[in-house]
């Protein structure tokens, strides 16, 4: 039954000029961080993502207070 449905679908798409049903294509985003290629100081506390996240919170809170 599935094979028959696929055959009918392919026939319909061919008759209507469509190759196949395509999903919407989202644009590809590539983020390049030039500092990622350089060596890191692993003893630096700001290298830790948790510390970076906490510092971002502190900076955001201070920015809210300044406004």
């Amino acid at each position: 039954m599935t094979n028959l449905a696929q055959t009918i679908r392919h026939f319909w798409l061919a008759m209507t000029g469509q190759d196949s049903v395509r999903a919407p294509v989202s644009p590809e985003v590539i983020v390049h961080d030039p500092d990622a290629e350089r060596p890191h100081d692993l003893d630096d506390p700001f290298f830790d993502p948790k510390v970076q996240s906490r510092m971002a919170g502190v900076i955001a809170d201070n920015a809210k207070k300044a406004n």
Side-chain angles (χ1 to χ4, degrees):
M1 186 68 178
T2 304
N3 194 14
L4 177 62
Q6 288 178 351
T7 303
I8 293 170
R9 182 170 182 251
H10 287 290
F11 177 74
W12 175 257
L13 292 173
M15 293 303 293
T16 58
Q18 301 174 10
D19 292 334
S20 63
V21 177
R22 296 181 184 137
V25 178
S26 61
E28 184 176 343
V29 177
I30 299 174
V31 178
H32 175 67
D33 182 10
D35 291 338
E37 297 172 354
R38 292 193 282 159
H40 297 289
D41 180 9
L42 298 178
D43 293 329
D44 183 7
F46 293 105
F47 183 70
D48 183 14
K50 292 179 184 177
V51 173
Q52 291 176 359
S53 176
R54 287 195 302 266
M55 289 306 299
V58 168
I59 292 169
D61 289 342
N62 286 332
K64 288 179 186 176
K65 291 178 186 176
N67 289 330

